[in-house]
Amino acid sequence: YKAGEKRPCILANSGWTGLNIVYPAMFARAFTARGFVCLGFDYRGFKPSEGYPKYTTLEREVEDISNAVNFMKVQPEVDPNKIGLVGWGVGGAVCVEVAAREEDVKAVATLNSFVNGVRWMRMGMGNDKYNKMLRMLKEDKVTRATTGDPVLRHPYVCYPNIDESGNFYIDETLKKINGGVSDKANGINNGEEFPTPMSSVIGESFLRFNIENTLSKLSPKALFVGHG
């Protein structure tokens, strides 16, 4: 990089419980090596970012990424006409929504994500677990409204195709970072256990989120869909 250059920018975004030091950092290392300017961050509610602790929805994450786009396009090293998004897991669907909302986003890559939240959760969980989750979310909604308790639960309770045994890549990555998710020597002081308990309100937003109609609005922007 030379002073005064304007480089293409990629914002790397994690899934709903993801930490910047896990997936966004992994993508950023690859992209910066190829000459891109990158930004990764923790969503509101997750340290070291501010916000109501352990509380997020996919709609809030759309706002967070939109704000990040508008922050980056005025940075001196960024070409504001060449901004792209990459989203991992649930973050992929969120990035599609941001790309439709923000004119300055020219390309988006969604990796291992979903399109229709209800269909994704029901197919991934099976009817019994899915209906049990719906009953839990209904009860939690009343609890939040009547007591102010955010109702913190293990995040995988509201997530298909994964359970509390966790994710091998994340587990191994965090073990390498000073035995946890905090690495002060390298400027990382997240202080969160992973996966951190979080408000079950995120499960409600999964059910609301559907990008089937959004996808058709992206043209002529570039869209890459990858799935394992």
Side-chain angles (χ1 to χ4, degrees), residues 123-173:
M123 291 179 67
M125 291 180 168
N127 282 335
D128 289 345
K129 184 178 179 181
Y130 176 76
N131 286 305
K132 180 180 179 181
M133 181 203 65
L134 290 183
R135 292 191 295 270
M136 179 198 74
L137 292 178
K138 189 173 182 180
E139 293 170 0
D140 289 357
K141 188 184 298 186
V142 173
T143 299
R144 282 195 300 274
T146 57
T147 70
D149 181 350
V151 190
L152 302 183
R153 296 189 180 276
H154 191 288
Y156 297 154
V157 171
C158 297
Y159 197 82
N161 300 322
I162 193 168
D163 57 31
E164 294 187 22
S165 64
N167 176 296
F168 176 78
Y169 168 74
I170 293 174
D171 293 342
E172 292 302 305
T173 300

Side-chain angles (χ1 to χ4, degrees), residues 9-218:
C9 173
I10 296 178
L11 282 76
N13 302 279
S14 190
W16 91 111
T17 66
L19 302 175
N20 182 42
I21 60 174
V22 186
Y23 289 116
M26 177 181 71
F27 290 123
R29 282 193 293 271
F31 285 128
T32 53
R34 289 162 175 79
F36 292 92
V37 174
C38 289
L39 172 69
F41 62 95
D42 298 286
Y43 295 123
R44 275 180 294 173
F46 298 93
K47 297 177 182 178
S49 290
E50 298 175 348
Y52 190 68
K54 320 290 188 183
Y55 189 101
T56 188
T57 65
L58 299 191
E59 291 90 352
R60 283 182 177 226
E61 291 173 8
V62 168
E63 293 177 0
D64 290 346
I65 298 172
S66 292
N67 286 334
V69 169
N70 285 286
F71 173 81
M72 288 303 285
K73 71 184 184 184
V74 296
Q75 300 309 307
E77 66 270 37
V78 170
D79 182 343
N81 297 309
K82 294 181 179 180
I83 295 177
L85 306 175
V86 59
W88 174 263
V90 170
V94 173
C95 282
V96 168
E97 190 66 36
V98 175
R101 176 184 297 196
E102 294 293 335
E103 181 180 357
D104 292 313
V105 172
K106 297 300 191 295
V108 59
T110 168
L111 308 173
N112 284 352
S113 193
F114 73 96
V115 174
N116 181 309
V118 170
R119 185 171 66 234
W120 167 65
M121 295 182 81
R122 188 163 193 161
M123 291 179 67
M125 291 180 168
N127 282 335
D128 289 345
K129 184 178 179 181
Y130 176 76
N131 286 305
K132 180 180 179 181
M133 181 203 65
L134 290 183
R135 292 191 295 270
M136 179 198 74
L137 292 178
K138 189 173 182 180
E139 293 170 0
D140 289 357
K141 188 184 298 186
V142 173
T143 299
R144 282 195 300 274
T146 57
T147 70
D149 181 350
V151 190
L152 302 183
R153 296 189 180 276
H154 191 288
Y156 297 154
V157 171
C158 297
Y159 197 82
N161 300 322
I162 193 168
D163 57 31
E164 294 187 22
S165 64
N167 176 296
F168 176 78
Y169 168 74
I170 293 174
D171 293 342
E172 292 302 305
T173 300
L174 298 184
K175 286 177 184 176
K176 294 175 183 176
I177 303 176
N178 199 28
V181 296
S182 183
D183 186 0
K184 295 180 182 178
N186 291 314
I188 298 169
N189 185 19
N190 185 279
E192 295 272 29
E193 68 173 291
F194 190 92
T196 180
M198 56 196 300
S199 174
S200 59
V201 71
I202 188 69
E204 294 176 28
S205 72
F206 288 160
L207 297 170
R208 293 190 298 265
F209 218 76
N210 184 342
I211 58 169
E212 285 178 324
N213 293 328
T214 306
L215 286 165
S216 64
K217 299 175 184 177
L218 288 185

